[in-house]
Amino acid sequence: AAAAAAEPFRDETFWPTLMQQLLPDALQDAAPTVQAGACDCLATLTEDVFTSLAKHHRILCLTLLFSLGRSEHPPVKAAAARTLGMFILFASLRADGLFVADMAAVVVDALADANLLVRARAAWTAGNLCDALVLNASQEPYEPPHKSLFRSLLCAAFAGMKDNEKVRAHAVRMLGCLGRIYPPDTSSEAERDMRDVVGYMLEAASSGSVKSRWNACYAMGNMLRNPHLPDNPPWMKDTLAQLAHIVQSAPNFKVRINATQALAAPRRRGVYGPTDQLVNLIECLAAALDEADSMQDFSEFKYQANLRTQLSATLVHLLLLPQLDGANSERAELTAMATRCGSRVHQALADQLEQLLKSKDAQPTAADASAAAVDADGDGDDGARSGASTSTSATGDSESFRTGLQAAMARLELLGVVCAPRPMPLNAVDKGSS
């Protein structure tokens, strides 16, 4: 059945016929290999086909999957978990609170299984589930997940961070998503939770394989997009310092790109803490621009331009956050910073602007910075991400990037930086030559 479903079918009667008897029988077969194959068959369903099935077929399908997700046979349990991970990507199921709750219970149970294959598949599925919760949070009206469901996923993610590399790769993605939707709470429990979330992600970002560090930096950026973060949370100083260190010294440029994106994630000035933290971060990124030209591995050269673009985009974000109305202590510290490194930053932004103006079709994005690109087998190999995307490039489209570059350069000039000659727009050059 799995082989038969591997190719898309135009025949609208195929899946209804399969669901009439053959597939339910296979899911309830006595042989574990048949049950696992039937789960793999269901995993090929598209959302359109699933929603077109009769309601009783959909209910039967989900009921059997939940049951097989608790099977005593590891291959069956792993296959059922993977199929549920595909189904949570369906908008209709993602919005179904009962399905989310039932799926979470099955996945959390599978994450504690003794078999590594089961845990790896369950971790991938749990990552997709947490991605779905982030997507739900962007919808109106939004109903947050029940506290017990959220707590069970968070504890499972903490446990996963102590597990095998194949599980950790997805557990860190869970932490990033759960940190992003963590509700506003000033209790000691909430403070401890966020401290643990950040601690695990920083540890993963600083050690382990390149894939783990890449994923951890991506997850950190996801968490820092939480709109309810307080001003200067107690863990922010260490977080900024660690991410800045990665941006300056990580041998892999894709890791640097994701760390740089993470530093641009908070949207409010207060989250970055006191002025000295912000100034120190800007100076570290200025130094990282210089260090982007030195490579230990020439294979990183293809990511060098993307890194410089992302560094420039993050600098634009940081430079435009402070309010400079009148004389204040923040302006004084920023002016001192501009004296130390403003000229270098201004020149780097001017270079980016010049490149942008030279190419009308330029899309200044860090194309390879999708850190959570992990495959459904949970083996950590590069591949197309099966979960829902939760990241946005810090640069945005070329027009908004151009505007940001110009505004940041103007701000540096306001702080006393002597500006380099501005690149002339292409249309002005054309008019002059004619």
Side-chain angles (χ1 to χ4, degrees):
E7 297 294 331
F9 276 81
R10 303 296 181 186
D11 186 356
E12 295 181 358
T13 65
F14 173 76
W15 278 104
T17 302
L18 203 61
M19 290 297 300
Q20 193 67 38
Q21 183 175 1
L22 179 60
L23 204 49
D25 286 351
L27 290 168
Q28 300 172 85
D29 196 272
T33 52
V34 175
Q35 291 181 318
C39 290
D40 291 339
C41 180
L42 281 177
T44 66
L45 274 172
T46 64
E47 183 173 8
D48 289 341
V49 172
F50 180 80
T51 54
S52 70
L53 294 175
K55 184 176 180 179
H56 66 279
H57 283 157
R58 297 199 303 270
I59 293 175
L60 176 61
C61 171
L62 296 178
T63 302
L64 291 174
L65 278 177
F66 287 142
S67 176
L68 294 177
R70 299 182 185 275
S71 171
E72 61 182 14
H73 302 289
V76 177
K77 196 170 186 177
R82 179 179 178 275
T83 303
L84 288 171
M86 300 298 293
F87 279 15
I88 193 60
L89 305 180
F90 299 168
S92 58
L93 292 179
R94 189 178 72 231
D96 186 338
L98 291 177
F99 172 79
V100 170
D102 289 342
M103 175 180 167
V106 170
V107 169
V108 169
D109 174 74
L111 281 169
D113 196 89
N115 185 278
L116 176 58
L117 174 64
V118 173
R119 296 199 308 278
R121 294 287 178 85
W124 176 81
T125 293
N128 281 5
L129 173 58
C130 293
D131 274 337
L133 295 178
V134 171
L135 289 174
N136 286 344
S138 65
Q139 306 298 315
E140 293 292 344
Y142 169 57
E143 182 177 350
H146 192 275
K147 185 175 181 179
S148 62
L149 184 152
F150 188 92
R151 172 63 49 185
S152 66
L153 288 172
L154 189 61
C155 291
F158 287 154
M161 292 302 296
K162 303 171 186 176
D163 205 331
N164 183 276
E165 173 74 17
K166 293 182 178 181
V167 178
R168 289 200 304 272
H170 307 292
V172 73
R173 181 158 64 107
M174 293 174 64
L175 289 179
C177 293
L178 295 172
R180 181 168 177 172
I181 63 173
Y182 202 100
D185 191 344
T186 57
S187 67
S188 58
E189 180 185 51
E191 184 177 330
R192 184 172 59 253
D193 283 343
M194 291 303 290
R195 187 173 61 247
D196 290 344
V197 166
V198 172
Y200 277 118
M201 287 194 290
L202 288 181
E203 182 181 355
S206 305
S207 60
S209 67
V210 170
K211 171 65 76 172
S212 293
R213 301 181 69 181
W214 186 23
N215 282 340
C217 291
Y218 173 89
M220 181 63 72
N222 205 4
M223 185 274 295
L224 289 173
R225 290 184 179 88
N226 187 329
H228 305 299
L229 289 179
D231 288 354
N232 192 28
W235 39 263
M236 181 55 78
K237 183 177 181 179
D238 289 341
T239 299
L240 295 180
Q242 187 64 43
L243 287 174
H245 177 71
I246 293 171
V247 168
Q248 290 182 273
S249 62
N252 185 277
F253 277 17
K254 291 193 291 183
V255 173
R256 291 195 196 189
I257 289 170
N258 265 17
T260 308
Q261 283 186 318
L263 288 170
R267 310 318 297 172
R268 291 187 299 105
R269 164 67 187 89
V271 178
Y272 286 94
T275 307
D276 63 320
Q277 283 185 193
L278 180 66
V279 166
N280 184 59
L281 180 58
I282 292 173
E283 292 182 337
C284 286
L285 292 178
L289 275 169
D290 297 333
E291 290 157 5
D293 293 329
S294 60
M295 289 171 284
Q296 299 178 16
D297 184 352
F298 190 73
S299 65
E300 298 299 317
F301 178 76
K302 59 184 176 182
Y303 304 114
Q304 187 184 55
N306 281 341
L307 174 58
R308 296 187 66 85
T309 298
Q310 191 61 58
L311 283 167
S312 298
T314 299
L315 281 166
V316 167
H317 173 69
L318 297 177
L319 287 168
L320 296 180
L321 278 178
Q323 297 294 325
L324 299 183
D325 299 335
N328 55 55
S329 59
E330 179 149 274
R331 178 165 185 159
E333 291 192 50
L334 288 169
T335 300
M337 175 275 300
T339 302
R340 293 190 296 270
C341 68
S343 297
R344 283 185 295 147
V345 174
H346 191 284
Q347 185 59 56
L349 300 185
D351 291 344
Q352 284 290 329
L353 183 58
E354 184 176 11
Q355 292 175 21
L356 201 59
L357 293 174
K358 284 180 178 178
S359 176
K360 294 181 180 180
D361 299 325
Q363 292 296 325
T365 59
D368 295 290
S370 180
V374 286
D375 65 315
D377 293 330
D379 58 8
D381 293 335
D382 287 345
R385 182 175 180 183
S386 298
S389 175
T390 55
S391 70
T392 304
S393 171
T395 57
D397 62 85
S398 58
E399 181 63 25
S400 62
F401 187 42
R402 179 189 65 78
T403 303
L405 286 168
Q406 292 173 328
M409 291 165 65
R411 172 150 291 195
L412 285 169
E413 293 160 17
L414 183 66
L415 293 171
V417 173
V418 178
C419 61
R422 295 282 184 88
M424 186 178 296
L426 287 181
N427 55 0
V429 174
D430 294 340
K431 289 179 182 179
S433 61
S434 59

